[in-house]
Amino acid sequence: MISSKRPTAVLAAATALALALAACGASGNANSGNGGAVSSLTVLDYYNNDPDKALVQKGLDACGTKLGVTVQRETVPGDTLIQKVLQQASSKTLPDVLMLDNPDVQQIAATGALAPLNDLGLNADGVIQGMVDATSYQGKLYGLAPVTNTIALFYNKDMLAEAGVQPPKTWDELKAAAQKLTKPGRYGIAFNANATYEGSWQFLPAMWTNGGDETDLKSPQVAEALQLWVDLVRSGSASKSVINWTQGDAKDQFVAGKAAMMVNGPWQIPALQESPKVKWDVVTFPLNKPDQTPIAPLGGEAWTVPLNKDQAKQQKAADFVKCLNSDENELAWAKARFTLPTRTALLDQYAEEVPSMKAFAEQVRTARSRTGKLGDKWPEAAKVIYQAIQLALTGKASAQDAFKQASGG
C-alpha cells in the first residue's frame, strides 16, 4: 500500500525508542542464541491483511527455505508498528528482521536500533536513488526495499475519447481537459487534498515537478503548484470535497464515473479491475513547463536488521534481507502486488510484462524520498504543506500567502 502515512507518531516514538535503547543496551534480543547454527528468524511487518499478507508470506517462506531457517512472523496494523517497536526495544525482544515504512527508516536508525547493512555485506547498487536516500542515514545503509510505488494520473479512456481530449501533458492541458470533462454529475479530476500526510503526499508531484522544495516552502515554485490545485477547485473541475477526500475516496469517485481523471497510485488497480466497465490508463504527472521532469514521491516499505548480540543471527538476518531483495523476488512481488521493483535494471522488463504499470515504472525512476532532504524533519514540513493546502482551497489565504500562514509567518 501507500507509504504516505504513518509519520504521525514516529518523531515522539523515535525519541522514546532512543531512551529505551540507552537504558537496555541496543544489542539485546531475547531470541539470541550462542552464536551457533541459526535455525529460525523472527520477522515483524504490517502486512496484516490479505492479499498482501499471503503474498508477502510466500516471499518470506521462499527465502527461509533458501537459507535453511524457519520464519516466525508477526504482523500488526500499520498504525501500531512503531509502538510495537518501542515495546520490543524496551523488553529486548526486537525481531531479527524488521519491516519499516520507508520514511521511518532514518528516524529509527538515528536511535541506534538498527544494524548498518553495509557492515553485513549488503549494498544498494542499482537501486533507484530516491529509495537509497530514504533508507540511508549518515552515510550508511539501514534498509532495502524490494518494491516501491508512486502516484501518477489515471484517466477514463472512454470519457476522454468522447470529449475529444488527449491525456494531458502540461498543467494548462490538465486544467483545460478537466474543465472540458466536467459536466453535471461528473468532475474532470479527483484528488486528495485533506489535512493529513496523505494530502501532502498527493501534492508533491505538482510541487516537486515545478522545482518546489520542502526546504523552502515559501518559494514561488511551491505557490505555483498550490495555485494549480486552487484553479482546479475554483473552476469547478474538481470537487470542493477534495479537502476531505482520501485517496480511496478519489478512487471511488473515479470508479463510479463521477470523475474522469484522478491522481492516485497503483494499489488502486485491483479495485479498478473489479469494475471492468471502467476503461482506464495512466500517464505521468503533467509538467508546468516543457523542460521539466515529472517528480513524484516514493512509497513502499524497507526491510531492516535490528542490532543483535548474536552475530551469527544478525548476519543470517542480513542474508535474509538480501534474499528478499533479489531480482527474482523483486519482480515476483512487483507483479503480484502492483508495485515496482526498486532496481532500475528491472524496470523496462517489468513494464513490458505489466503494461498497466508502464507510467509508474517511468515515473519511479525520478521519484524522490520524502525524507531525503529533511530526514526526521519531514513530518513538520508535511504538516505545513497540508495546512497550506487547506487554507488555499477554503479561501482563507491565497496560494502565495498560504504557506506563510501555515508556517507561522
Side-chain angles (χ1 to χ4, degrees):
M1 274 297 287
I2 132 176
S3 166
S4 66
K5 345 175 216 186
R6 289 179 292 276
T8 31
V10 176
L11 279 175
T15 301
L17 178 56
L19 295 174
L21 291 171
C24 71
S27 58
N29 189 316
N31 295 305
S32 297
N34 297 316
V38 178
S39 60
S40 66
L41 290 173
T42 54
V43 176
L44 176 64
D45 65 77
Y46 62 49
Y47 298 115
N48 65 321
N49 292 313
D50 287 327
D52 275 347
K53 183 176 182 179
L55 291 170
V56 169
Q57 187 68 52
K58 290 181 180 179
L60 298 177
D61 289 341
C63 284
T65 299
K66 181 177 180 180
L67 297 176
V69 296
T70 300
V71 177
Q72 300 174 2
R73 181 189 185 193
E74 180 179 7
T75 64
V76 297
D79 58 1
T80 68
L81 178 66
I82 297 301
Q83 183 60 37
K84 184 75 173 181
V85 171
L86 283 172
Q87 294 169 350
Q88 292 185 336
S90 63
S91 60
K92 301 184 181 182
T93 57
L94 283 169
D96 301 311
V97 178
L98 172 64
M99 185 225 73
L100 291 170
D101 198 5
N102 83 75
D104 297 343
V105 173
Q106 292 185 9
Q107 296 173 36
I108 301 304
T111 69
L114 305 178
L117 297 184
N118 314 84
D119 298 344
L120 297 168
L122 277 64
N123 62 64
D125 292 351
V127 175
I128 52 178
Q129 188 59 47
M131 189 57 74
V132 177
D133 294 340
T135 56
S136 298
Y137 176 70
Q138 293 187 343
K140 291 193 174 183
L141 180 70
Y142 285 91
L144 284 173
V147 291
T148 186
N149 60 54
T150 188
I151 47 180
L153 184 70
F154 286 79
Y155 65 92
N156 185 303
K157 295 167 68 174
D158 292 338
M159 290 180 182
L160 265 70
E162 180 185 356
V165 172
Q166 294 296 316
K169 296 181 179 179
T170 67
W171 290 6
D172 286 342
E173 290 178 2
L174 177 65
K175 289 187 285 187
Q179 192 161 28
K180 192 170 184 180
L181 290 162
T182 298
K183 64 180 187 179
R186 185 182 80 194
Y187 289 98
I189 188 169
F191 54 90
N192 162 10
N194 67 16
T196 71
Y197 293 102
E198 198 172 88
S200 299
W201 152 274
Q202 283 239 317
F203 178 68
L204 291 177
M207 184 177 94
W208 283 346
T209 296
N210 199 44
D213 193 285
E214 56 270 32
T215 63
D216 183 12
L217 290 173
K218 300 176 186 177
S219 73
Q221 292 86 352
V222 176
E224 281 181 341
L226 183 52
Q227 189 64 50
L228 173 63
W229 261 205
V230 171
D231 289 346
L232 289 169
V233 172
R234 286 188 181 172
S235 68
S237 300
S239 171
K240 294 179 180 178
S241 296
V242 297
I243 62 171
N244 297 315
W245 282 353
T246 65
Q247 292 180 122
D249 293 330
K251 177 264 298 177
D252 290 343
Q253 295 290 315
F254 186 78
V255 170
K258 296 180 179 180
M261 299 182 289
M262 70 169 175
V263 180
N264 229 314
W267 54 87
Q268 306 291 9
I269 291 178
L272 295 178
Q273 291 179 329
E274 293 176 3
S275 302
K277 291 183 180 180
V278 180
K279 308 299 181 185
W280 55 272
D281 207 343
V282 191
V283 291
T284 56
F285 194 83
L287 313 174
N288 186 19
K289 301 173 183 177
D291 60 346
Q292 293 175 339
T293 299
I295 302 175
L298 277 176
E301 295 79 16
W303 298 83
T304 70
V305 177
L307 286 173
N308 195 323
K309 288 181 179 179
D310 185 335
Q311 296 299 309
K313 179 158 279 196
Q314 184 169 266
Q315 185 60 57
K316 184 68 74 171
D319 295 341
F320 188 83
V321 169
K322 183 177 181 179
C323 176
L324 292 179
N325 287 270
S326 68
D327 288 0
E328 180 182 2
N329 277 340
E330 285 202 14
L331 285 170
W333 277 11
K335 292 176 185 177
R337 300 175 56 227
F338 288 103
T339 50
L340 297 144
T342 58
R343 295 189 186 279
T344 54
L346 302 176
L347 288 172
D348 286 342
Q349 175 187 344
Y350 176 69
E352 288 181 8
E353 296 177 359
V354 190
S356 62
M357 295 293 289
K358 183 177 180 180
F360 294 109
E362 179 180 348
Q363 186 132 335
V364 81
R365 294 176 187 274
T366 55
R368 275 178 49 187
S369 156
R370 284 154 283 165
T371 55
K373 291 191 175 183
L374 293 181
D376 60 7
K377 301 298 183 184
W378 161 250
E380 298 174 19
K383 186 175 182 180
V384 172
I385 290 171
Y386 71 66
Q387 289 178 336
I389 293 171
Q390 292 280 305
L391 289 169
L393 293 187
T394 56
K396 295 178 181 178
S398 67
Q400 289 71 30
D401 293 335
F403 282 94
K404 294 178 183 177
Q405 288 190 32
S407 59

